[in-house]
Amino acid sequence: MEPIDTLIQHFRERITLTDHDARYVSECFHVVTLKKKEILLHTGEVSSHMRYIAEGCLRSYYMDEEAREHIIQFGIEGWWVNDLYSYLTRTPAKQFIQALEHSIVLQIHRDTLHQLYDRVPAIERFFRFKFEKAYVALQDRTLNTLSKTAEERYFEFRSKYRDIEQRVPQYMIASYLGMTPEFLSALRKKTTT
């Protein structure tokens, strides 16, 4: 299946698109092929695209003053990845987006997406749903970080994102969960004994 076909199928899981609308939508997205470790978005750039992962695995992260990485999000096939704050406010990104393996991303520029909203109103409904879901996920992650133990966060990550755990290095999972790699390693050993 071609990358654009996976995107159209993804849209059709939530909204109704005629074949004519689907062809128009297909023309609005551009394919970006990334090598492992290639950066899709650099901190300081304004994120002007919505990005759908057709193939591969990516991460978004920021670097603190001591040059430590803090992973904000992982993304795999069928997911969207972005620095939404930069995208929505048109301010410089505070996050990097990097491919963790060979990846294919379909992206659409903000201006083109707004034109698409007018031509295919169902797409606007789709993205409204996506923004709502992103907000809920962010709030859920924030509350989990504040209210759950590291062990509880790890077990929840394992149950929700088993496929990601198999594809991402342990130190990155530790960063995402807000713990050291050593602590995560000890947790993992504890669960296998």
Side-chain angles (χ1 to χ4, degrees), residues 75-189:
I76 58 173
E77 295 87 2
W79 292 23
W80 295 81
V81 64
N82 206 347
D83 181 329
L84 268 181
Y85 187 87
S86 172
Y87 179 84
L88 293 171
T89 63
R90 299 182 187 204
T91 58
K94 295 182 180 175
Q95 301 172 30
F96 290 91
I97 298 176
Q98 180 186 39
L100 297 177
E101 57 191 43
H102 170 81
S103 300
I104 297 174
V105 174
L106 296 166
Q107 65 181 25
I108 184 169
H109 191 275
R110 174 193 298 104
D111 297 340
T112 306
L113 182 58
H114 285 258
Q115 293 168 3
L116 189 55
Y117 289 165
D118 293 335
R119 290 264 316 251
V120 185
I123 293 294
E124 186 171 20
R125 283 193 306 279
F126 175 87
F127 278 101
R128 186 179 68 230
F129 168 77
K130 282 296 176 192
F131 288 141
E132 289 169 357
K133 190 173 177 185
Y135 178 77
V136 168
L138 174 64
Q139 187 170 4
D140 186 51
R141 181 155 182 229
T142 302
L143 292 173
N144 283 345
T145 300
L146 295 172
S147 64
K148 293 187 177 177
T149 66
E151 190 171 356
E152 290 170 328
R153 291 194 313 272
Y154 172 62
F155 288 127
E156 186 172 313
F157 178 86
R158 284 187 68 185
S159 68
K160 280 185 174 177
Y161 308 116
R162 191 61 150 169
D163 47 352
I164 292 175
E165 184 184 26
Q166 305 303 317
R167 294 167 75 172
V168 172
Q170 183 174 316
Y171 78 92
M172 289 187 186
I173 294 170
S175 172
Y176 177 81
L177 295 172
M179 59 184 71
T180 65
E182 296 78 17
F183 186 83
L184 178 57
S185 181
L187 260 180
R188 289 173 65 140
K189 283 180 189 170

Side-chain angles (χ1 to χ4, degrees), residues 7 35 37-38 62 113 143 166 169 181:
L7 175 63
K35 296 177 191 147
K37 297 187 178 181
E38 189 172 350
Y62 80 94
L113 182 58
L143 292 173
Q166 305 303 317

Side-chain angles (χ1 to χ4, degrees), residues 32-75:
V32 178
T33 303
L34 301 163
K35 296 177 191 147
K36 183 177 181 175
K37 297 187 178 181
E38 189 172 350
I39 302 288
L40 178 61
L41 176 70
H42 288 84
T43 186
E45 298 175 352
V46 175
S47 181
S48 300
H49 295 84
M50 290 302 295
R51 298 174 175 96
Y52 173 78
I53 304 168
E55 179 182 313
C57 181
L58 292 92
R59 68 175 176 149
S60 66
Y61 66 96
Y62 80 94
M63 304 279 287
D64 67 19
E65 295 81 25
E66 285 84 41
R68 286 186 306 240
E69 294 179 3
H70 300 274
I71 296 179
I72 307 300
Q73 175 188 5
F74 294 110

